[in-house]
Amino acid sequence: MMLAALKPLGVWGIGALAVIDSSTIPVPIDALLIDYVAHDHRRFLLYCFMAAFGSAVGSLLPYYLGRAGGELFLLKRINRERYERIRDRFERQEFFAIMIPAMLPPPTPLKLFEFAAGVFEMKPVAFVLAIFAGKFIQFLICSLLTIWFGPKLIHTMRHVLHRHMGSVIGIAVAGLMVLVFYMVRKIFDRRKGVVLPVEEEA
């Protein structure tokens, strides 16, 4: 009933449904986006923006739930040492740790990552930007494929991704590690030959 009421609202409808999907009730937002784009190619960027914006806004609910009491929730299930290790790994790459899962299609458990971002006190602005960036990329790719190849192929790809989600997540994690390695190498390359303040004092 909710879907039937909001879908005719076009851009505003997909934004509202994205808020609901990201915060509480799962909604097939990617399937709806395909349908919107298939019928109106010219506004695909607007559909992507509104869906990504709605997802970012809705994600603040699990984020703030994690921030409010998530640490105690986790510490009841894992010991303090393991909790600290997970937090340290998350904080080193927090933006990509949220953006990469946001890029992946359902059934990626994105709400768990959003909850963890709140638990580990990721800054709200960085969190919203990471969700928005990841979702916008996901929706943009989905829209372009719909325009180029038609909605039927995209629905088939979605079913394949559902069946091989473990492999998809593994590839995404591997890609993230390669990207991080590349960025670290670039940083160290720039620092070559730069005299640090400690070295000057010595």
Side-chain angles (χ1 to χ4, degrees):
M1 188 171 179
M2 173 189 63
L3 192 60
L6 292 175
K7 189 178 177 182
L9 298 178
V11 169
W12 299 107
I14 199 168
L17 288 167
V19 172
I20 294 167
D21 172 64
S22 192
S23 59
T24 51
I25 305 167
V27 175
I29 196 70
D30 54 338
L32 290 169
L33 180 75
I34 291 169
D35 187 55
Y36 277 119
V37 173
H39 289 90
D40 187 3
H41 290 180
R42 291 175 302 171
R43 301 210 295 173
F44 78 95
L45 279 175
L46 187 56
Y47 289 134
C48 292
F49 177 86
M50 286 301 294
F53 180 76
S55 295
V57 171
S59 68
L60 288 170
L61 179 60
Y63 169 83
Y64 278 111
L65 286 174
R67 193 146 187 164
E71 184 174 355
L72 292 175
F73 176 84
L74 283 181
L75 287 173
K76 286 179 182 178
R77 287 156 180 78
I78 60 175
N79 60 44
R80 169 63 70 172
E81 185 181 351
R82 188 180 176 194
Y83 170 84
E84 296 289 349
R85 284 202 306 270
I86 294 172
R87 187 186 65 184
D88 290 344
R89 283 200 298 268
F90 178 85
E91 287 179 348
R92 282 196 292 269
Q93 305 297 338
E94 59 180 19
F95 188 88
F96 291 107
I98 296 300
M99 190 186 82
I100 297 296
M103 289 171 57
L104 298 176
T108 305
L110 181 57
K111 286 185 178 64
L112 291 178
F113 290 92
E114 294 166 350
F115 184 80
V119 172
F120 299 134
E121 298 185 347
M122 182 177 180
K123 291 181 179 178
V125 173
F127 170 78
V128 168
L129 288 174
I131 293 289
F132 177 83
K135 282 295 180 184
F136 186 80
I137 292 170
Q138 181 200 130
F139 295 143
L140 182 61
I141 291 171
C142 192
S143 296
L144 291 174
L145 290 175
T146 300
I147 293 169
W148 293 335
F149 303 109
K152 197 169 186 179
L153 176 66
I154 309 307
H155 286 301
T156 303
M157 289 175 63
R158 285 177 65 243
H159 290 308
V160 172
L161 287 172
H162 276 238
R163 286 201 301 270
H164 302 284
M165 183 50 63
S167 300
V168 173
I169 293 173
I171 292 168
V173 170
L176 173 61
M177 292 175 68
V178 170
L179 179 63
V180 170
F181 177 77
Y182 174 78
M183 291 172 66
V184 170
R185 281 291 302 273
K186 282 288 183 184
I187 291 169
F188 277 102
D189 286 345
R190 286 176 188 169
R191 284 184 171 272
K192 281 182 181 177
V194 177
V195 180
L196 300 175
V198 177
E199 295 171 329
E200 285 180 344
E201 290 175 8

